[in-house]
Amino acid sequence: MTTLRKLAACTALGLALGAGAAAAQDKPTIVTVVKVTGENWFTRMNQGVDAYGAEHSNVATSQVGPAKADAAQQGRIIEDLVAKNVSAIAVVPMDPSALEGVLRRAEQRGIKVITHEGDSLVNTAVDIEAFDNKAFGTRINEKLAACMGQSGKWTSFVGSLGSLTHNQWVDAGAENAKKYSGMELVAAKNESFNDANKAYEKAKEILRRYPDIKGFQGSSAIDVIGIGRAVEEAGLQDKTCVYGLGLPKDTGPYLDTGAVDEIFFWDPKDAGYVMNVVANMVLDGKEVTDGMDLGVPGYNKVSVKKGPGKGVIVQGEAWVDVDKASYKNYPF
């Protein structure tokens, strides 16, 4: 091959590679930002994010999150994504109020913002809720009250005081418990920071301070794991009632021993998938409308209402309750 022909071939190859890179850059990017990486809840969510990307070659999907549940770290990750000018950001906020500024900057840059567990957010196009949060918290507490015989001391746990949905659930639980004059809420809203060891230490502290405590209502997916461990070590499986958010495989051993009585959840995989469904719709200029089927279990007939900002809140009916007898029906 002559020098001239070699030069022409190299030029053609360079142009082809350049065109490929441009095509890759033109492909919309949807990045899901979770509360913490490594927790099984969000590992399961990542499966939904990846599944959507595998089924829709027109977009690139990925999931990121901080190494520990921290609103400031989550905010910095979003700032980096804004600087990279991704197409859409789907966020599960640790503390919604702490992210308003960076999400506003994302929207100003033309980045589409989708959120989950953040119905107070102003700077979002669509917030997706798996269900009515007040109803969910009331249901957990009603089951707890029944187990306690509607009397005795009980307490509540949250991932953090800034975790919106966690506070909505335990506030609804506290309101529900007022129906029963014999129930006494003590040391409410213990923060676990989505850490099973912290939940365990808090639960041990509560058991020492209130040796006659009968009930625990957990909110983070790992709260019941830490609480169950403390209850089991104290040999109080038959004297306490432990109810809250959890995943079947994680909580199964404590359901088997009775240290945890029942868990409530929605499938994080489905939530991750549906966030990306909606993100892609928004990128295409499509609206989510009342009664729409988003093609995901629990989101087949969503309700839509105006949010606190320019966006909307989309609500599904996706919660599940399981106990010792039924948790093995779920593979996660």
Side-chain angles (χ1 to χ4, degrees):
M1 185 180 289
T2 66
T3 301
L4 186 60
R5 288 176 64 191
K6 285 181 181 178
L7 180 60
C10 288
T11 302
L13 178 60
L15 288 171
L17 290 172
Q25 288 174 352
D26 289 341
K27 189 175 185 178
T29 49
I30 304 171
V31 183
T32 302
V33 184
V34 298
K35 295 179 183 180
V36 61
T37 296
E39 184 182 308
N40 285 346
W41 184 274
F42 294 114
T43 299
R44 174 73 175 175
M45 182 171 282
N46 205 162
Q47 293 175 17
V49 172
D50 288 345
Y52 187 83
E55 294 168 16
H56 297 82
S57 59
N58 61 309
V59 294
T61 66
S62 60
Q63 179 174 301
V64 295
K68 67 176 184 177
D70 179 81
Q73 288 189 29
Q74 190 179 42
R76 285 193 288 273
I77 288 171
I78 297 171
E79 286 173 356
D80 184 52
L81 293 173
V82 171
K84 290 177 179 175
N85 202 31
V86 299
S87 306
I89 300 173
V91 188
V92 188
M94 183 69 187
D95 181 346
S97 63
L99 297 182
E100 289 283 20
V102 68
L103 295 181
R104 181 171 61 252
R105 290 193 291 277
E107 290 193 317
Q108 289 170 346
R109 289 283 296 269
I111 297 169
K112 305 303 181 184
V113 175
I114 309 300
T115 51
H116 176 54
E117 295 189 66
D119 63 11
S120 67
L121 279 164
V122 171
N123 295 287
T124 180
V126 182
D127 177 70
I128 303 166
E129 299 296 319
F131 37 67
D132 180 288
N133 287 303
K134 182 177 180 181
F136 185 68
T138 298
R139 182 174 180 82
I140 296 173
N141 188 262
E142 190 61 25
K143 291 282 190 87
L144 175 68
C147 176
M148 292 174 58
Q150 300 171 353
S151 69
K153 293 184 177 72
W154 70 284
T155 192
S156 57
F157 279 59
V158 294
S160 79
L161 294 175
S163 295
L164 177 64
T165 52
H166 295 185
N167 284 273
Q168 289 173 328
W169 302 338
V170 296
D171 286 344
E175 188 62 30
N176 182 72
K178 290 178 182 177
K179 296 189 302 185
Y180 307 113
S181 59
M183 289 183 67
E184 179 187 355
L185 177 59
V186 297
K189 297 186 179 181
N190 297 279
E191 291 183 285
S192 66
F193 298 100
N194 290 56
D195 184 320
N197 288 325
K198 285 185 171 63
Y200 165 69
E201 293 296 340
K202 285 280 186 183
K204 286 204 302 181
E205 181 184 321
I206 292 289
L207 288 169
R208 285 194 298 269
R209 196 189 316 172
Y210 303 99
D212 58 342
I213 195 162
K214 290 173 66 176
F216 293 84
Q217 180 172 336
S219 301
S220 163
I222 53 73
D223 286 349
V224 291
I225 300 172
I227 296 166
R229 179 184 165 197
V231 164
E232 192 173 86
E233 285 183 1
L236 296 172
Q237 299 95 304
D238 299 326
K239 294 182 179 180
T240 57
C241 300
V242 178
Y243 289 75
L245 189 73
L247 287 180
K249 277 193 173 180
D250 288 346
T251 321
Y254 297 108
L255 288 167
D256 282 336
T257 65
V260 175
D261 297 275
E262 192 166 1
I263 57 170
F264 307 76
F265 60 93
W266 65 104
D267 190 341
K269 180 180 179 180
D270 291 340
Y273 192 98
V274 81
M275 277 194 287
N276 281 261
V277 168
V278 172
N280 205 6
M281 287 178 64
V282 172
L283 285 170
D284 288 341
K286 298 176 182 176
E287 290 186 23
V288 183
T289 56
D290 200 55
M292 181 178 276
D293 183 354
L294 296 177
V296 181
Y299 306 88
N300 301 118
K301 189 178 180 181
V302 297
S303 64
V304 179
K305 63 181 180 181
K306 188 181 183 308
K310 293 180 180 179
V312 297
I313 297 169
V314 174
Q315 192 176 94
E317 296 180 348
W319 87 49
V320 181
D321 319 356
V322 299
D323 57 15
K324 179 180 179 178
S326 56
Y327 82 88
K328 292 180 181 176
N329 295 334
Y330 296 87
F332 57 88

